[in-house]
Amino acid sequence: MPDTTLKTQEIGVLLFDGFSNHCLANAVEPLRAANGFARRTLYRWTFLTIDGQRAVSSSGLPVMPAARLADQPGGDFLFVLTSYGFRAQMTPASLRALRAAARRFKTLVGMDTGSWLLAEAGLLEGRRATIHWDELTALSETFPDLDVTEDRFVIDGDRITCGGVTTTFDLILDLIHRHHGATLRLEVAALFMHGERSHPTDPALRMTGQQTVDAAVALMRRNIETPLTVAEIGKRLDLGQRRLETLFARHLGTPPRTVYRRLRLHEARRLVERASMSVAEIATRCGYVDASAMTRAYRKEFGAPPRAHRAES
């Protein structure tokens, strides 16, 4: 169960020259979105480098850090983003800094090839781990004490590793789910159109249960003004209604209708706070036949009517 009493999670983002812009965005943008949906700072991150000098990404984007890693007092997570040049980055100074950081940060996260630096620093001994698929075999051969797997990401206690750009996004969604529940994860995933793909017809390419749920939520997100029935959503995914409801219960603990209603109401709140539309027009945009029906549902979901939130915005 998510811990809704969690304080703001403090994250250090350790960058090395040649880091991937895409990987970095997939690490922090979902966290930024989670803060926005929650309307409070659930996550706060600080950019760091080993020497306090700027890091330049593989595509030439410079990032000026807030501090050296050694000067950061610590936090809940340290994200380690290296590059394909990670072997040159395994300097004695870098490895010492990582070992020292392991005493200040609760959890270390190796992203992309960052797993290799953690292993070289002796911080993954006896752990399950993964890395970018290009380096899986080499990592296993170089560190035989590791249980190297091809999983998209691996959470082994206070050590987390993931295999690349898209797996970073999957990992962050999983952490949001663990910390703050399925609804927030769904909202963040839907914002980035996660799950927006056709259901494959080749049985060998069938989506997992979680991927099917994500695809169903994406369909809901695309059909806010004219809601689909649960049966219609299942049909578009080549599933029966009962099977779809079973998957939602297993992965979210919530029926599809409840998820759909929440998505529509959160869209209504977004429009209330950011648009100049009337409540009646917002109701229509969010699939309600009249404003009073939406207002009742809105008050039940958020504890206040739409006009109260408009006054606050």
Side-chain angles (χ1 to χ4, degrees):
M1 293 292 293
D3 183 356
T4 57
T5 67
L6 275 176
K7 65 177 181 60
T8 298
Q9 300 280 287
E10 300 289 348
I11 300 169
V13 182
L14 179 61
L15 301 176
F16 289 80
D17 277 330
F19 72 88
S20 163
N21 291 346
H22 198 176
C23 189
L24 176 59
N26 279 350
V28 299
E29 281 296 307
L31 302 180
R32 186 270 309 162
N35 289 346
F37 281 119
R39 293 171 176 79
R40 66 185 180 95
T41 305
L42 304 178
Y43 301 95
R44 181 165 43 230
W45 52 94
T46 303
F47 296 119
L48 308 167
T49 58
I50 293 294
D51 58 7
Q53 301 300 307
R54 73 175 187 175
V56 180
S57 76
S58 57
S59 58
L61 176 71
V63 175
M64 183 59 66
R68 297 187 310 154
L69 175 60
D71 295 332
Q72 184 69 5
D76 298 286
F77 294 91
L78 178 66
F79 294 173
V80 181
L81 279 74
T82 55
S83 71
Y84 278 110
F86 63 89
R87 287 177 175 81
Q89 295 163 349
M90 293 188 298
T91 64
S94 295
L95 300 179
R96 282 196 304 271
L98 284 171
R99 286 191 285 267
R103 297 190 290 270
R104 306 195 307 276
F105 288 87
K106 294 178 182 177
T107 301
L108 303 186
V109 185
M111 294 177 167
D112 203 357
T113 56
S115 310
W116 199 296
L117 261 69
L118 296 182
E120 187 69 26
L123 298 171
L124 292 180
E125 291 182 359
R127 305 283 189 135
R128 292 181 63 247
T130 192
I131 197 169
H132 191 284
W133 68 273
D134 278 349
E135 302 293 341
L136 274 168
T137 300
L139 183 70
S140 180
E141 292 174 347
T142 305
F143 301 97
D145 60 315
L146 299 188
D147 180 7
V148 178
T149 78
E150 296 184 11
D151 293 342
R152 295 178 66 77
F153 59 85
V154 173
I155 299 178
D156 188 342
D158 59 359
R159 298 291 185 269
I160 301 176
T161 52
C162 61
V165 169
T166 58
T167 62
T168 295
F169 190 83
D170 291 341
L171 169 63
I172 300 302
L173 286 181
D174 186 83
L175 293 178
I176 291 170
H177 189 167
R178 289 167 185 259
H179 296 154
H180 300 290
T183 298
L184 185 58
R185 178 201 178 278
L186 284 171
E187 289 174 330
V188 173
L191 178 66
F192 293 98
M193 301 179 72
H194 190 67
E196 292 273 358
R197 56 180 170 177
S198 299
H199 193 68
T201 56
D202 183 346
L205 299 176
R206 287 288 181 184
M207 291 188 286
T208 66
Q210 182 64 68
Q211 290 170 333
T212 300
V213 169
D214 286 344
V217 172
L219 278 172
M220 295 175 184
R221 182 82 177 185
R222 291 203 306 270
N223 293 275
I224 294 290
E225 186 167 347
T226 307
L228 304 172
T229 66
V230 175
E232 287 170 332
I233 293 170
K235 184 176 181 180
R236 294 193 187 193
L237 297 174
D238 299 328
L239 294 174
Q241 179 173 338
R242 182 171 297 180
R243 174 59 178 163
L244 187 62
E245 290 172 342
T246 298
L247 289 174
F248 270 71
R250 179 183 304 162
H251 292 277
L252 301 180
T254 306
R257 289 183 182 85
T258 301
V259 172
Y260 209 165
R261 176 179 54 80
R262 287 175 178 168
L263 286 173
R264 291 162 59 203
L265 289 171
H266 279 266
E267 174 63 9
R269 181 163 182 172
R270 186 186 72 83
L271 293 174
V272 164
E273 294 178 341
R274 301 182 186 181
S276 58
M277 303 175 190
S278 68
V279 172
E281 186 175 357
I282 291 172
T284 299
R285 291 286 186 95
C286 296
Y288 286 88
V289 294
D290 62 72
S292 60
M294 188 199 77
T295 297
R296 287 193 299 272
Y298 191 104
R299 185 192 292 271
K300 185 176 181 180
E301 180 73 13
F302 301 117
R307 296 189 190 283
H309 288 150
R310 173 155 290 172
E312 294 172 2
S313 61

